[in-house]
């Protein structure tokens, strides 16, 4: 019996030990499994696997929008700035098309609930749908506060143009994706556009950001751009141009003001214009920066350069006499007329009266290539080189054989074309003593040296001759500015239509510089297709020149010459009855 009891005791101990061992192994195995999941990196479906899966569901990389560079005028006044906005978007797969919150969401989006539901149905198989582009942060906050699953907001920037339509064609605008589409926004898009940044964020199941985790790389804002224009002068040019457009019922027009010393464009206004902040009624006709794209025959504004070519030839001087009797001249099949018979006149009178007969006789006496080369040297037939999109080089034909009619047409600005900016650059050559300087739409720090294309003495002589155009007896007395000598020239040309020159349609122009003895500014005014009895450049364009340039002289604090000040004092002190 005792042996039997001993065996039974041994079996019970073995079982006991087995149970103890199993119970001891189970916690160890459990700890091992937990360690393999949370500590050991190289175990299948270990902690790295779990982290990756968790991050894939909650960690997102978001774009940090980059600020587009600011465009300013030369004095730092903003012309184009970027303001923060929010684009609202939705994931239709996460949205309930029957949720009661849709009614309030649709109301905030200014659409009906039915329209919103139709859009959700149309995009039901997609994970992205725009709700509203570039709304204000306040509007976006109202939408996001509804906490509708599947509705999100993306911060962006929207361009705003403080000067509005005053500088619209020059500055241009961006599209809804903040990329340049017109003007300087397009020309310098590569500099203005910033580089977006990126950051990692932790989001909940509803897509809301819980925490910023890490900065992947910072955003890089775009470069700022300082234009050459002075916004004060730009406003003046725009105001006077718009007034003239209304007064003469013209189709379009341009004004360019150029700094003679630096070649900078101080103002460039165009009509018609548009508001870049509201493009709902935008027309393609208003987009053009006509001062650099639209071509016109410069007409009589080129006569000073024809006279320059004559002076340069050595065959003529300002006192050279030309017989314009009987007030007309026939060249080939065409007869050119003066307004009246001026008789025998010198070259100064030729410019003052804008004599077609005298210019034609002089041109036929010169080599035609000499006149064309003069035009080319001052900038006709080649691009001014501002880099503005669509900038036109104009046209300047070069004939192998020059018929007499072509020689005459060239002499008084017909048979070729130019822009208002090209004409301003050409006049700046005379204003800067024969130096041709590059034209710039950007503010420059260093004064360019320029290229000597006309003899300085001849340029000075030409300015003296051109001052008579704005004095009593000249064709542009309305271009005169009190206390300042103005040197300039009018131009009136027939518009070119489908069947040649149109009889009763014109382009009126005036180009001039001031102060004439030491020019600081060149202003060119082009009025296209004025309607009514007044259409000559001296009546339509010259008054705009006077108003715009007078304001510019005052704003830039450019004093008149001492001689003009003394003359004004004498006139103010003169008593009635004094000899004149």
């Amino acid at each position: 019996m005792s042996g039997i009891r001993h065996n039974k005791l041994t079996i019970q101990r073995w079982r006991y030990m087995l149970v103890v061992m199993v119970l001891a192994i189970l916690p160890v195995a459990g700890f091992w499994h937990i360690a393999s999941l949370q500590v050991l990196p190289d175990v299948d479906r270990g902690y790295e696997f779990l982290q990756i899966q968790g991050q894939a569901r909650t960690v997102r990389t978001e774009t940090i929008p980059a600020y587009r560079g600011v465009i300013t005028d030369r004095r730092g006044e903003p012309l184009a700035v970027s303001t923060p906005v929010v684009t609202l978007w939705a994931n239709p797969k996460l949205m309930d098309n029957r949720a009661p919150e849709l009614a309030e969401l649709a109301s905030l989006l200014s659409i009906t609930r039915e329209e919103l539901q139709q859009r959700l149905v149309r995009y039901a198989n997609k994970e992205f749908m725009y709700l509203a582009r570039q709304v204000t942060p306040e509007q976006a906050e109202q939408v996001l506060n509804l906490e509708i699953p599947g509705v999100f907001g993306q911060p962006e920037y929207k361009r705003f143009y403080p000067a509005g339509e005053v500088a619209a064609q020059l500055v241009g605008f961006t599209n809804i994706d903040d990329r340049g589409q017109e003007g300087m926004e397009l020309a310098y898009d590569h500099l203005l556009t910033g580089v977006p940044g990126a950051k990692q964020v932790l989001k909940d199941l509803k897509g809301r950001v819980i925490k910023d985790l890490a900065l992947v790389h910072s955003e890089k804002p775009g470069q700022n751009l300082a234009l050459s224009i002075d916004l004060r002068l730009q406003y003046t040019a725009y105001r006077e141009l718009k007034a003239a457009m209304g007064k003469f019922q013209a189709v379009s027009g341009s004004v360019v003001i150029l700094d003679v010393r630096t070649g900078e464009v101080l103002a460039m206004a165009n009509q018609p214009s548009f508001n870049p902040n509201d493009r709902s009624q935008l027309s393609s006709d208003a987009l053009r920066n006509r001062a650099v794209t639209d071509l016109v025959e410069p007409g009589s504004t080129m006569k000073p350069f024809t006279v320059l070519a004559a002076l340069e030839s050595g065959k003529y001087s300002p006192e050279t006499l030309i017989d314009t009797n009987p007030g007309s001249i026939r060249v080939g099949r065409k007869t050119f007329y003066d307004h009246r018979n001026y008789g025998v006149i010198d070259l100064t009178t030729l410019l003052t009266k804008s004599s077609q007969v005298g210019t034609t006789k002089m041109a036929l006496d010169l080599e035609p290539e000499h006149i064309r080369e003069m035009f080319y040297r001052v900038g006709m037939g080649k691009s001014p080189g501002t880099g503005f999109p669509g900038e036109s080089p104009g046209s300047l034909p070069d004939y192998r054989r020059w018929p007499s009619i072509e020689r005459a047409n060239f002499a008084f600005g017909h048979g070729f074309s130019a822009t208002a900016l090209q004409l301003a650059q050409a006049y700046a050559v005379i204003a800067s003593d024969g130096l041709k300087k590059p034209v710039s739409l950007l503010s420059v720090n260093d004064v360019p040296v320029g290229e000597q294309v006309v003899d300085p003495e001849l340029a000075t002589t030409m300015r003296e001759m051109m001052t008579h155009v704005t004095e009593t007896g000249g064709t542009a007395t309305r271009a005169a500015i009190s206390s300042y000598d103005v040197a300039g020239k009018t131009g009136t040309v027939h518009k070119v239509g489908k069947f040649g020159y149109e009889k009763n349609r014109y382009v009126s122009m005036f180009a001039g510089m001031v102060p004439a003895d030491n020019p600081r500014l060149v202003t060119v005014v082009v009025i296209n297709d004025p309607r009514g009895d007044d259409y000559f450049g001296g009546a339509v364009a010259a008054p705009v020149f006077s108003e715009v340039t007078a304001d510019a002289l005052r704003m830039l604090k450019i004093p008149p010459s001492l001689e003009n000040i003394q003359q004004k004092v004498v006139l103010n002190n003169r008593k009635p009855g004094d000899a004149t």
Side-chain angles (χ1 to χ4, degrees):
M1 292 295 291
S2 62
I4 293 173
R5 288 196 193 102
H6 178 75
N7 290 338
K8 285 183 178 180
L9 183 60
T10 303
I11 293 172
Q12 290 175 350
R13 185 176 297 168
W14 174 80
R15 288 178 176 176
Y16 173 78
M17 294 302 295
L18 180 62
V19 171
V20 171
M21 291 177 64
V22 170
L23 292 176
I25 291 172
L26 284 176
V28 174
F31 282 119
W32 176 262
H33 183 65
I34 292 173
S36 67
L37 293 177
Q38 298 187 11
V39 180
L40 302 178
D42 55 351
V43 177
D44 185 35
R45 294 182 178 272
Y47 85 92
E48 286 187 345
F49 170 79
L50 294 177
Q51 284 188 344
I52 291 172
Q53 293 300 309
Q55 290 176 357
R57 289 164 173 78
T58 59
V59 177
R60 296 287 183 268
T61 299
E62 287 198 339
T63 299
I64 305 174
Y67 190 83
R68 187 174 177 87
V70 177
I71 300 178
T72 68
D73 79 339
R74 63 187 301 104
R75 300 168 58 248
E77 292 292 330
L79 299 173
V81 295
S82 294
T83 57
V85 292
V86 178
T87 286
L88 297 169
W89 64 279
N91 183 346
K93 291 186 175 181
L94 300 179
M95 295 185 68
D96 182 1
N97 205 357
R98 295 169 295 179
E101 296 89 350
L102 290 186
E104 190 172 356
L105 174 61
S107 176
L108 291 173
L109 297 176
S110 299
I111 58 176
T112 65
R113 175 171 180 166
E114 290 71 22
E115 288 175 327
L116 178 58
Q117 288 175 324
Q118 289 173 5
R119 290 178 61 188
L120 289 173
V121 171
R122 192 162 62 248
Y123 287 88
N125 296 325
K126 300 183 181 298
E127 296 183 353
F128 181 88
M129 179 186 80
Y130 281 121
L131 292 175
R133 295 295 305 270
Q134 298 184 343
V135 301
T136 64
E138 293 76 18
Q139 291 173 312
E141 185 178 7
Q142 288 180 313
V143 170
L144 297 176
N145 284 342
L146 297 177
E147 297 187 350
I148 300 175
V151 175
F152 308 97
Q154 173 63 41
E156 292 181 337
Y157 287 105
K158 181 181 180 180
R159 212 62 163 160
F160 176 68
Y161 301 94
E165 62 184 51
V166 172
Q169 294 94 347
L170 176 61
V171 177
F173 56 83
T174 61
N175 61 12
I176 199 166
D177 295 316
D178 216 22
R179 300 308 300 262
Q181 298 296 292
E182 294 285 343
M184 301 299 276
E185 290 274 35
L186 174 59
Y188 292 91
D189 186 63
H190 60 292
L191 294 179
L192 293 165
T193 301
V195 179
K199 64 179 180 179
Q200 285 188 335
V201 297
L202 187 66
K203 292 187 174 182
D204 63 13
L205 294 178
K206 293 184 178 181
R208 296 173 299 190
V209 176
I210 300 174
K211 182 181 181 182
D212 288 343
L213 296 179
L215 179 65
V216 179
H217 58 86
S218 299
E219 75 279 14
K220 183 180 179 182
Q223 297 182 34
N224 295 335
L225 197 66
L227 302 190
S228 60
I229 67 169
D230 186 321
L231 192 55
R232 300 172 302 172
L233 274 62
Q234 183 73 17
Y235 272 113
T236 297
Y238 179 82
R239 181 191 68 225
E240 296 301 329
L241 177 62
K242 190 171 184 178
M245 293 284 294
K247 179 179 180 180
F248 298 104
Q249 301 176 19
V251 172
S252 61
S254 299
V255 173
V256 175
I257 304 177
L258 209 61
D259 187 316
V260 172
R261 295 181 180 179
T262 64
E264 294 169 295
V265 176
L266 298 180
M268 182 178 281
N270 296 276
Q271 276 289 322
S273 190
F274 67 97
N275 184 357
N277 298 308
D278 180 11
R279 284 166 255 164
S280 57
Q281 304 296 323
L282 183 62
S283 67
S284 58
D285 193 50
L287 286 176
R288 297 207 308 271
N289 186 352
R290 297 174 183 274
V292 298
T293 62
D294 282 18
L295 296 174
V296 296
E297 287 189 332
S300 294
T301 58
M302 293 305 295
K303 285 178 181 175
F305 301 98
T306 300
V307 174
L308 261 180
L311 296 176
E312 194 176 69
S313 72
K315 299 173 67 175
Y316 291 83
S317 70
E319 295 77 25
T320 300
L321 299 178
I322 299 178
D323 187 358
T324 67
N325 286 298
S328 64
I329 184 172
R330 187 171 181 82
V331 180
R333 299 180 179 179
K334 187 171 183 179
T335 301
F336 298 103
Y337 298 91
D338 283 338
H339 290 290
R340 64 179 180 83
N341 184 4
Y342 297 122
V344 179
I345 58 175
D346 59 19
L347 296 195
T348 300
T349 305
L350 182 152
L351 284 177
T352 303
K353 300 297 184 181
S354 196
S355 171
Q356 301 284 66
V357 176
T359 305
T360 300
K361 285 191 172 184
M362 184 173 59
L364 295 178
D365 188 44
L366 298 172
E367 292 296 327
E369 292 83 1
H370 194 177
I371 296 177
R372 184 193 180 279
E373 195 225 349
M374 172 62 71
F375 291 175
Y376 185 78
R377 271 188 277 158
V378 298
M380 299 295 113
K382 49 187 172 183
S383 173
T386 63
F388 192 88
E391 180 182 71
S392 176
S395 65
L396 189 68
D398 189 6
Y399 300 98
R400 291 185 177 181
R401 298 180 60 185
W402 287 82
S404 296
I405 189 65
E406 296 296 345
R407 296 170 65 178
N409 281 335
F410 249 64
F412 42 79
H414 291 270
F416 64 98
S417 59
T419 64
L421 182 60
Q422 285 179 295
L423 193 57
Q425 185 181 35
Y427 269 68
V429 172
I430 298 176
S432 59
D433 294 331
L435 280 174
K436 181 173 180 285
K437 297 180 180 179
V439 176
S440 178
L441 292 173
L442 299 179
S443 179
V444 299
N445 296 320
D446 300 322
V447 176
V449 176
E451 176 188 3
Q452 195 76 48
V453 297
V454 174
D455 182 87
E457 292 186 7
L458 292 182
T460 301
T461 299
M462 180 52 56
R463 291 202 304 271
E464 294 173 355
M465 296 170 67
M466 292 168 67
T467 57
H468 295 281
V469 175
T470 62
E471 296 174 350
T472 303
T475 59
T477 55
R478 298 185 188 181
I481 300 174
S482 177
S483 300
Y484 293 86
D485 286 332
V486 176
K489 187 70 187 73
T490 57
T492 309
V493 297
H494 287 274
K495 285 181 64 66
V496 179
K498 293 182 179 179
F499 307 104
Y501 290 105
E502 300 190 17
K503 184 178 180 181
N504 296 315
R505 301 182 67 190
Y506 304 89
V507 178
S508 306
M509 291 167 279
F510 184 83
M513 60 201 74
V514 67
D517 59 337
N518 182 25
R520 289 286 309 278
L521 302 175
V522 164
T523 303
V524 170
V525 180
V526 178
I527 307 290
N528 177 33
D529 207 6
R531 310 293 172 88
D533 296 333
D534 287 329
Y535 57 84
F536 287 108
V540 177
V544 178
F545 168 91
S546 178
E547 293 294 334
V548 168
T549 311
D551 276 0
L553 290 167
R554 176 179 55 81
M555 292 177 187
L556 299 178
K557 299 180 181 179
I558 300 174
S561 65
L562 181 60
E563 181 181 352
N564 281 327
I565 295 175
Q566 291 172 342
Q567 288 178 354
K568 186 174 182 180
V569 171
V570 170
L571 290 174
N572 289 338
N573 292 333
R574 180 175 292 161
K575 298 178 181 179
D578 286 352
T580 59

